[in-house]
Amino acid sequence: TQLLEQSPQFLSIQEGENLTVYCNSSSVFSSLQWYRQEPGEGPVLLVTVVTGGEVKKLKRLTFQFGDARKDSSLHITAAQPGDTGLYLCAGELWTSYGKLTFGQGTILTVHP
Amino acid sequence: DSGVTQTPKHLITATGQRVTLRCSPRSGDLSVYWYQQSLDQGLQFLIQYYNGEERAKGNILERFSAQQFPDLHSELNLSSLELGDSALYFCASSVGGGSNQPQHFGDGTRLSIL
């Protein structure tokens, strides 16, 4: 059983559609980070959320941290082919300084 | 470019061998983390060093060891290699070693065991 359950695993959509990726856990996190990874490269940090209920926006991407700090979501508006990639959520438990626990990832494909 | 440098990019070796992976953190970062990424396990935390000292440990095998040197670069040593050790190994760095530190990843070393 994964500490962080990420869904869906695969997402294939058309350009212009909206999508949401979910990251859920029964554990409480001190912070949650979202990364995007492309083939042959390392994960690139998109955002860090640290406060329960926090919402952060990065252009067409909206990140939300649940009130209870157990879940998070990533919403992309009007997806573009350039958004294609592997999206990973990663949480840090209160007792784990710097140790990130990653979800299994969501492979997003946006078709022109 | 994250500023984190990992060498080599690719490594092909045989079972039973020993290899060393190297990581140079971003300038100014004191903390280094090692992760293993495989298709079935995803990204798994191995170990963290902060300013030369071990700070946190994950599910790192006893055959694996790491260290961080005075110049802050780090090495991950993998010995008695098995087929199942084939994976991508990532290094990440951050400024501090405590909580909520944004981690910046290198492009990884792809290890293939034949």
Side-chain angles (χ1 to χ4, degrees), chain A residues 31 33 37 42 92 97-98, chain B residues 37 48 99-101 103 106-107:
Chain A
S31 69
Q33 302 181 13
Q37 185 178 13
E92 184 178 335
Y97 298 103
Chain B
Q37 186 176 40
Q48 177 199 3
S99 299
N100 305 337
Q101 296 286 322
Q103 295 184 25
D107 285 340

Side-chain angles (χ1 to χ4, degrees), chain A residues 2 30-33 35 37 39-45 48-50 69 86 88 92-94 96-104, chain B residues 9 33 35 37 39-45 48 55-59 88 90 97-108 110:
Chain A
Q2 290 283 323
S30 64
S31 69
L32 205 131
Q33 302 181 13
Y35 291 82
Q37 185 178 13
E41 299 180 8
V44 175
L45 180 65
T48 301
V49 285
V50 298
R69 312 172 74 99
L86 173 66
L88 295 156
E92 184 178 335
L93 294 169
W94 289 104
S96 302
Y97 298 103
K99 176 184 171 182
L100 288 179
T101 299
F102 279 83
Q104 285 291 83
Chain B
K9 286 187 77 67
Y33 312 78
Y35 292 86
Q37 186 176 40
L39 281 175
D40 56 341
Q41 295 289 323
L43 255 173
Q44 300 281 320
F45 170 78
Q48 177 199 3
R55 177 62 67 96
K57 218 168 184 176
N59 295 327
L88 270 167
F90 285 103
S99 299
N100 305 337
Q101 296 286 322
Q103 295 184 25
H104 301 271
F105 283 74
D107 285 340
R110 182 175 294 278

Side-chain angles (χ1 to χ4, degrees), chain A residues 63-79:
Chain A
F63 305 86
Q64 186 159 7
F65 200 12
D67 290 340
R69 312 172 74 99
K70 294 182 179 181
D71 57 88
S72 181
S73 64
L74 156 61
H75 182 78
I76 301 180
T77 304

Side-chain angles (χ1 to χ4, degrees), chain B:
Chain B
D1 182 12
S2 67
V4 178
T5 304
Q6 288 188 248
T7 57
K9 286 187 77 67
H10 303 277
L11 204 45
I12 302 174
T13 188
T15 55
Q17 297 297 305
R18 173 190 169 93
V19 296
T20 298
L21 312 184
R22 184 188 167 100
C23 169
S24 293
R26 291 189 322 162
S27 177
D29 285 1
L30 298 180
S31 198
V32 168
Y33 312 78
W34 286 97
Y35 292 86
Q36 180 192 59
Q37 186 176 40
S38 61
L39 281 175
D40 56 341
Q41 295 289 323
L43 255 173
Q44 300 281 320
F45 170 78
L46 295 177
I47 197 163
Q48 177 199 3
Y49 280 83
Y50 175 73
N51 205 19
E53 293 191 3
E54 183 183 305
R55 177 62 67 96
K57 218 168 184 176
N59 295 327
I60 187 168
L61 299 171
E62 284 192 15
R63 299 184 287 109
F64 296 1
S65 65
Q67 54 184 330
Q68 186 179 26
F69 294 87
D71 67 352
L72 300 177
H73 92 272
S74 178
E75 292 181 356
L76 178 66
N77 300 296
L78 315 177
S79 61
S80 303
L81 287 168
E82 301 174 2
L83 293 176
D85 298 328
S86 294
L88 270 167
Y89 291 85
F90 285 103
C91 167
S93 71
S94 66
V95 173
S99 299
N100 305 337
Q101 296 286 322
Q103 295 184 25
H104 301 271
F105 283 74
D107 285 340
T109 293
R110 182 175 294 278
L111 176 63
S112 300
I113 312 299
L114 302 180

